[in-house]
Amino acid sequence: ICTCDRDAHSSRSFTIVLDSEPTGTVSIPITSDTTAEGVVSASSVSFTVATWSTVQTVTVTGVDDNIDDDNVNYNIVCGAAVSTDAAYNGFDPADVTAVNIDDDTAGITVSPTSGLQTAEDGTSAVFTLVLRSEPTADVTFTVTSGDTTEGDVPTGTYTFTSTTWNVAQSVTVVGQDDNVVDGTVSYSISCSVTATGDTRYQGLSSTVTVSNRDNDVAGVLVTPTVLAISETTSQTADFRLTLESEPTADVSFSIRSSDTSESTVAPGTVTFTAVTWNVPQVVTVTAVDDQMDDGDVLHSIIVDVGTSLDPAYNGMDPQDVQVTTLDDDTKGVTVFPTSGLQTNEGGQMAEFTVLLTSQPVGDVSVTFSAAAEVSASPATLLFLPSTWGFAQTVTLTGIDDNIADGDVSVTVTAAPIVSSDTNYNGFVAPSVTVTNLDDDVPGVSTTAGTDVTTELGGWAFFTVRLLSQPTANVIVPLSSSDPTEGVPDVSSLIFTAATWSILQTVTVTGVNDQAADGDQMYTINIEKCVTSDARYSALSSSSMSMTNTDDDVIGVTVTPVMGSTTENGGLMTFTVVLSSMPSALVTVPVSVSDATEGSVSVASISFSGSSYAIPQTVTVTGLDDFVADGDVAYSVVLAPATSSDVQYSGFDPSDIQVINTDDDVASLVVTPTSGLVTSKAGGGATFTVALGSQPTASATVPISSSNTAEGVVAVSSLTFTTANWNQLQTVTVSGVDDHVDDGNVVFNVVVGPPTSSDAAFSALSAVQVGVTNLDDDTAGIVATASPSLVTTEAGGMSYVYISLSSMPANDVSISVASTDTSEGTVSTNSVHFTPATWSVIQTVTVTGVNDDVADGDVQYTVMLSPAVSADMKYASIDPQDFLITNTDNDAVGVTLSATQLTTSEAQTSATFTAVLNSEPTADVLMAMTSSDITEGSVMPPSLSFSSATWSVPQTVTVVGVEDFVADGDITYNVRLGASSADANYNSRIFEVSATNTDDDTVGYTVTQMQSTTSEAGNTATVEFSLTSEPIAAVIIMLTSSNPQEGTLSTATLTFTSASWNVPQTLTVQGVDDEIADGDVTYSVVTRSTASQDTNYA
């Protein structure tokens, strides 16, 4: 396993050497299966016959990809050898596993993160944003201000790609003007990843601190500060108040006038809020008209100090406004009118008013006087300081002198005013001119009472008087312009100086002339007066108009003038009589205007001078025409009379208006009009149609269905003529299958309205025939699945099929989800059906997900949520869910690169790799132990696998242990004992068998230190030691092969497991045998060993 560090593009190497000499050159290709993570120094290595045993080194160098993708495993692939040596050709060496250590970390670099400053005048600040590593997908940042009232980011989003990730992007923060005196305010800018497919960058964020410098100052702007207003019409002027910055709380100012007798203000208080602070508030100053001549007055409008919870504005004293009230008052007396007034001698009055022009400081007395033609009332007017402003009226009354002296002009004069007010005392009011009209004129006055008389003696009257007193008696003659029409009851009237004004009544009586001559106009003549008074004798004559009403009338009286008949023979009668006696026979023709509707009993009626007043009766009989023409109005026509009496000749009596009540009804006769039943399976029903009366023209009756989605009719119209109008015609209605679960649907077959030139039928309304179409559809969701509800972690799929059982009225959506997306996913999150696609089966593909965890076959559910639709039949229908089993392809276990190892007591080692077969749900700690630590040891003491490193092989080294015991080759086990919160791995034990090759032999070593003894007593020494450690004490029994030549210092040597390798010395003593037997060779004989160690026994 090679581990390379990306930071320094570090390298690691491995070696390759052949195990035996080839017969030809052997080339082995070398490649990296992931060049994005690591590259090799050579594409191949070659071995020749001469260099086959020379180790060749391949260097692997890590590649920096700038991506935070963790440590990445890859392989250095040693390809199949190429050689002419058949034994090596095609031989595929083991690949080398490499790990490229990642030096990249997903992150954001923001610079600077503090110390930035904006200002309310729009001054901006800039910071930069850049990624720390290359993303695997575009990374979009949303940059927002934590306080947009202080600062804002015009460009809210910034996107980094795999090519621009390390290019810093500038973010501009613009200061915002909040109009509030709030000093320098600190706020934050948040930079958050809001969109990316790179999980390493999801959720990352950073914050930049910015301060916004304030540009607002508390103040009150008052404009204008000088005003002038006039007392005239209480003139007004305005000034305005505006705050110079937005307050943090409401600010109120009280406003008042320093002299309320000169001006008033409105409103008395103005309040500014955080919303209206910059909206000018108008204060209106209104002049007070004090009615006094006091000149122009200067005073102030005082704006009191402000009250507010905002300390910047609380207690602030705005500038006051200077106001001058212009005086409009001047002393004087107004008299109106001063001319054009008229009175008369009959007592007619005239008036004028008097009013002071300003308020006095004391009482003011004004006196008026006139000549003998008029009188003034009251003559003296008194004005008080409290009532001076109220006009006072002087009434002038004409004085009747009974003299015809003509119209007289009179001047009403005012005396000098008397008052304690020096301005008014002695002031003279204007004079008034008035004309007194003379009411004394000569004349005869007539007054109409009534002006109509009658030939039956009815009377009228009028009254007569003189207009002025005469100087002598006056006789007024009377006459009629036509005494045959009317006459006065007197022929003259007499008026004296004493009775001239007393009304005298003239009664006029009408005269009956027995002639039908109509109303006649005539007059009663008032002739010229007879008198010695020249004024009256000079008067012209006059007259009174009268009308004498005639009581004789030419006419024909008809009673009654209207009535009714019926088509079944119903009668009516009326009478006719003349209004006055004719001078000759009068004949009136009688007929009907419509002989199809009625007839009269006589063709004419006649009246003579003796029978004119006797009523004559005419009978009218209704006729049946069999046509539904409704109640028909017709007339009994009384034609103009024929007579030699010119008054009656051509006189046209009133006709009699008659209604002939129809017994025929224009109608559509439909049977039945309800209770019909059809079905969506095509079941039909019938009804019949006929007309209720004979039409005057053919009638076409449209036939239609009000809901063709539920039922249709076999014919679109029926035609009825004057011949077949009462013959039944049959209409067939057939049900329509609409595939919609809409229940039994009631619809109508609409019969009519008819079209015909016969107005009675064309005016008919349509007839509704009620039909119920029986439903055969049921709202439902059909959900089925493939026979095998099984997916596999290898990507095996299952299928769910969904369709609707009936057409919905609106779109239907069904959400589809897997309850465990770590085991299986669905191909779509929802299926959607429309009224057009409801029957099309939609397939949801369920695909198993490989989780690398040995979790067994796991069941999960494909959930079909309740339907969502505006069609209430489908809304909330909950389809069947499907239980799916995802077949696990992961097995709990450990893959060991070797199951049989060989070590030796010479401490040679062996290695193997261990890797988990499946991803654990929790870290797995493998305790490494040897079943016989006297034979082999294990390094490291433990291995740790996590959910991230479970598939990375880890190397275990086993080293043989020297035990110095000749115990032969010993087999022992390397045990991997798992402990984990993952129950599948916890307490699992895995073993690798190992054999420790023994390098010890049973025996002992004899070392002859000195081999010659002498009979003179010289000694020799021999050292003994065991060649291996015994498991029990070993006794070596010794003898001399010739005790006559040499003896041993001990007959036994004992070795223990502690002293087995400590040499023990045996001393051999030469023995003098006194025989000249020459140098004799003898031996130290090891007779046997004694031990409970069977190897040594």
Side-chain angles (χ1 to χ4, degrees), residues 252-256 268 301-307 315-318 320:
S252 296
F253 296 96
S254 295
I255 303 171
R256 55 192 171 88
I301 300 303
I302 300 171
V303 183
D304 288 330
V305 295
T307 58
M316 179 171 286
D317 190 2
D320 296 335

Side-chain angles (χ1 to χ4, degrees), residues 42-202:
S43 60
S44 65
V45 294
S46 295
F47 297 92
T48 66
V49 173
T51 63
W52 67 273
S53 60
T54 301
V55 173
Q56 296 198 42
T57 300
V58 177
T59 300
V60 183
T61 302
V63 175
D64 189 357
D65 58 8
N66 297 319
I67 300 174
D68 179 6
D69 52 0
D70 290 332
N71 300 339
V72 177
N73 294 332
Y74 63 101
N75 294 315
I76 303 303
V77 180
C78 300
V82 178
S83 177
T84 58
D85 185 333
Y88 275 99
N89 188 50
F91 181 83
D92 191 358
D95 297 335
V96 177
T97 300
V99 179
N100 198 26
I101 305 301
D102 195 13
D103 65 347
D104 300 298
T105 303
I108 314 164
T109 297
V110 180
S111 178
T113 59
S114 62
L116 294 178
Q117 188 173 76
T118 58
E120 289 192 353
D121 61 3
T123 300
S124 60
V126 177
F127 65 89
T128 59
L129 187 67
V130 70
L131 303 188
R132 294 177 185 168
S133 65
E134 180 183 339
T136 59
D138 289 358
V139 177
T140 298
F141 286 84
T142 297
V143 182
T144 57
S145 170
D147 187 350
T148 55
T149 65
E150 294 294 337
D152 199 10
V153 183
T155 302
T157 59
Y158 298 82
T159 300
F160 294 90
T161 68
S162 58
T163 58
T164 63
W165 65 275
N166 56 352
V167 178
Q169 298 193 43
S170 296
V171 179
T172 300
V173 185
V174 180
Q176 301 297 304
D177 190 355
D178 57 9
N179 302 313
V180 180
V181 183
D182 51 1
T184 299
V185 177
S186 179
Y187 61 99
S188 63
I189 302 297
S190 175
C191 308
S192 302
V193 176
T194 54
T196 183
D198 187 336
T199 57
R200 304 279 180 166
Y201 275 96
Q202 290 175 358

Side-chain angles (χ1 to χ4, degrees), residues 336-341 431-434:
F336 181 81
T338 58
S339 62
L341 295 178
S431 299
V432 176
T433 300
V434 60

Side-chain angles (χ1 to χ4, degrees), residues 244-270:
E244 295 185 33
S245 65
E246 181 181 338
T248 59
D250 290 358
V251 181
S252 296
F253 296 96
S254 295
I255 303 171
R256 55 192 171 88
S257 172
S258 65
D259 186 348
T260 56
S261 68
E262 291 296 329
S263 68
T264 61
V265 294
T269 301
V270 294

